[in-house]
């Protein structure tokens, strides 16, 4: 199954209240914003899903753009944004190809649980796209599944919510290898998350474009 069909199937067939990543804590991200460590500016939310983080950033006065591969996810995001009375731009696109943005660059780019769902052969290109559309010394926030996750026997698992799609785990060394040509890690954070299916550990990174 191609990525567009895989993720569209999730949002079309799963009740919103049962989509697990909508229930994940964003407390560290929000704290960084509340403390001004991530300053207000232009922002791009990659894999924005139903738009919770996009809406939060708009409420904090970011000029925000959300991107997701699923048209159903973007439909929900637009509805929720309208209900919240906030202004945001939303696009239905694959985040590994941001050419539709042309030469636009942002102060801040957010990946809240998108990277680990991207096919391995596209991950390097995804990083290059992020670097291309982030200002020099701009900030990038990444949340991804961690190889610290207990009872892990591979570098990936088959996503139960996304049948036939590999979901990847990353170590800090993997992240440095992927992002190190363009970014330096300036802060990091670790946490866990329990789902009905498995316990997942997350690593979060705040990076600066170099």
């Amino acid at each position: 199954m191609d990525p567009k069909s895989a993720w569209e199937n999730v949002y079309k067939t799963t009740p919103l209240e049962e989509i697990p990543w909508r229930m994940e804590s964003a407390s560290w991200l929000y704290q960084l914003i509340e403390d001004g460590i991530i300053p207000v500016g232009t922002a791009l939310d990659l894999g924005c899903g139903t738009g919770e983080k996009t809406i939060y950033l708009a409420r904090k006065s970011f000029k925000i753009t959300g991107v997701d591969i699923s048209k159903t996810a973007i439909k929900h995001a637009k509805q929720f944004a309208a209900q919240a009375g906030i202004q945001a731009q939303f696009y239905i696109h694959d985040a590994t190809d941001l050419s539709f943005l042309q030469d636009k660059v942002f102060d801040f780019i957010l990946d809240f649980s998108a990277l680990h769902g991207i096919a391995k052969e596209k991950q390097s290109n995804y990083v290059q796209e992020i670097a291309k559309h982030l200002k020099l010394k701009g900030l990038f926030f990444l949340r991804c599944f961690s190889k610290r996750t207990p009872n892990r026997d591979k570098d990936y698992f088959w996503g139960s919510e996304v049948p036939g799609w590999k979901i990847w785990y990353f170590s800090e060394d993997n992240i440095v290898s992927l992002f190190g040509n363009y970014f330096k890690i300036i802060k990091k954070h670790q946490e866990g998350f329990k789902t009905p299916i498995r316990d997942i550990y997350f690593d979060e990174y705040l990076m600066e474009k170099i």
Side-chain angles (χ1 to χ4, degrees), residues 188-202:
K188 53 190 176 181
H189 178 256
Q190 298 177 335
E191 68 170 39
F193 179 65
K194 187 181 289 291
T195 76
I197 299 169
R198 60 174 62 84
D199 291 347
I200 295 285
Y201 283 22
F202 288 96

Side-chain angles (χ1 to χ4, degrees), residues 50-121:
T50 52
E52 286 76 19
K53 313 304 178 298
T54 317
I55 291 167
Y56 171 85
L57 288 167
R59 283 176 167 155
K60 294 298 177 181
S61 300
F62 285 82
K63 187 176 181 181
I64 180 72
T65 300
V67 177
D68 201 277
I69 200 169
S70 165
K71 66 180 181 181
T72 299
I74 292 296
K75 180 184 76 173
H76 288 307
K78 287 180 176 179
Q79 290 172 344
F80 292 147
Q83 290 167 8
I86 63 95
Q87 294 294 318
Q89 289 186 305
F90 291 101
Y91 294 96
I92 305 164
H93 274 281
D94 185 334
T96 64
D97 178 6
L98 300 176
S99 56
F100 72 95
L101 292 171
Q102 299 180 337
D103 59 353
K104 189 171 185 179
V105 292
F106 298 85
D107 300 308
F108 174 56
I109 296 181
L110 172 64
D111 173 343
F112 197 87
S113 299
L115 173 65
H116 50 234
I118 292 174
K120 197 169 188 67
E121 64 271 17

Side-chain angles (χ1 to χ4, degrees), residues 18 34 90 104 108 114 118 148 166 168 177 181 185:
E18 295 179 14
E34 297 290 342
F90 291 101
K104 189 171 185 179
F108 174 56
I118 292 174
R148 298 180 300 107
K166 288 180 180 176
W168 296 89
S177 179
N181 288 337
I185 296 171

